[in-house]
Amino acid sequence: MTSSPHLTILTGASRGMGLAMARQLLREGHHLLCIARHTQPELEQAGGAHCTQWQADLADGAAVAARLDHWLGGHHGARWTSATLINNAGVIPALVPLSDADPADLARALRVGLEAPMQLTAAFLGATAGWGGQRRVLNISSGLGRRAQASQSAYCAAKAGMDHFTRCLALDEAARPNGARVCSLAPGVIDTDMQAQLRGADAGSFPDQANFAKLHAGGQLTSPEEAAARVLAYLARPDFGANPVADVRDPA
């Protein structure tokens, strides 16, 4: 297998902005490890030996983190000049008030959106601690982690938790030699299946449904491709990690 200078591990790479990021990273020559519930044949065709895909359910983040730790342990850090983890996967449970929510639905949203990113980040940083190249962790957050919204308790809580664990992680890594740069980044409003779920919800259970419908009708949603380009440009900024909780629209 020919070497690639950059390793990127990306969750939720099978659709939406995750798939768009995967396409762009492969075009830029990264070696890509994609973790998603479904594999994408087009990524295998585009990336060849530089694209590895795992079909996995992040609701069982501990098992995926253990697999990642083992996989990274089988590689020599000198092979890559940089290693990056992008925690992109997330799910929105049923858009209903918390009193009407299904407990299993809530648990899945929190496991995928918060527990798995923490577990994968711990595995990634532990396994690469002795690597000499630059390491980065990019957590894909949301404005809803910083602004409450009715009928979205689990999603908002997961993203708020992601923001705060990133703040804690930044303190950890600042004290380490060659500590990783980390950031929890809000990517803006993107035209994905998740947005379709929001604007298609029952307005009686989800009071903000009309606002999401207006965003779509008014052409105010960013395409997954454009959003991916903006996120990856932010990831490449020299000041990445200077602010552990940020927005893709923040000035350089």
Side-chain angles (χ1 to χ4, degrees):
M1 183 184 295
T2 57
S3 65
S4 176
H6 306 289
L7 169 66
T8 301
I9 301 155
L10 172 65
T11 69
S14 64
R15 61 180 183 173
M17 188 179 73
L19 178 57
M21 284 194 288
R23 292 183 184 123
Q24 293 175 31
L25 287 165
L26 287 173
R27 286 199 295 267
E28 293 170 6
H30 289 237
H31 185 111
L32 198 58
L33 170 58
C34 298
I35 305 172
R37 292 187 69 191
H38 306 283
T39 58
Q40 271 287 353
E42 72 163 276
L43 295 180
E44 185 175 348
Q45 293 167 5
H50 291 314
C51 184
T52 302
Q53 296 190 73
W54 292 353
Q55 189 171 354
D57 188 349
L58 289 173
D60 186 4
V64 183
R67 184 180 179 186
L68 178 63
D69 180 73
H70 179 76
W71 187 85
L72 288 168
H75 292 279
H76 196 286
R79 177 179 174 185
W80 292 296
T81 58
S82 75
T84 299
L85 170 65
I86 304 177
N87 286 306
N88 167 70
V91 294
I92 291 183
L95 294 161
V96 295
L98 185 62
S99 58
D100 297 330
D102 177 71
D105 204 21
L106 293 174
R108 177 173 178 78
L110 290 168
R111 285 173 182 160
V112 174
L114 178 58
E115 187 176 293
M118 294 184 73
Q119 292 165 326
L120 291 175
T121 299
F124 171 74
L125 293 176
T128 62
W131 292 17
Q134 186 178 93
R135 297 173 301 146
R136 297 190 175 196
V137 176
L138 171 60
N139 291 324
I140 301 300
S141 185
S142 170
L144 295 183
R146 304 158 199 182
R147 182 183 71 257
Q149 192 161 76
S151 299
Q152 291 218 59
S153 296
Y155 185 79
C156 290
K159 293 304 184 182
M162 174 177 274
D163 285 352
H164 210 48
F165 103 69
T166 306
R167 292 185 182 100
C168 297
L169 178 61
L171 297 174
D172 290 342
E173 293 301 303
R176 296 179 182 273
N178 193 33
R181 298 184 185 183
V182 302
C183 180
S184 187
L185 185 71
V189 187
I190 310 164
D191 193 7
T192 62
D193 291 344
M194 192 173 287
Q195 278 290 319
Q197 182 181 351
L198 291 168
R199 63 178 177 265
D202 173 34
S205 298
F206 181 43
D208 287 289
Q209 182 272 342
N211 293 330
F212 285 97
K214 287 178 183 177
L215 287 173
H216 181 258
Q220 298 179 55
L221 301 179
T222 305
S223 72
E225 292 73 19
E226 183 180 354
R230 290 180 181 177
V231 166
L232 293 178
Y234 193 99
L235 175 63
R237 281 170 46 160
D239 66 343
F240 177 85
N243 186 356
V245 175
D247 189 290
V248 74
R249 293 158 288 197
D250 291 344

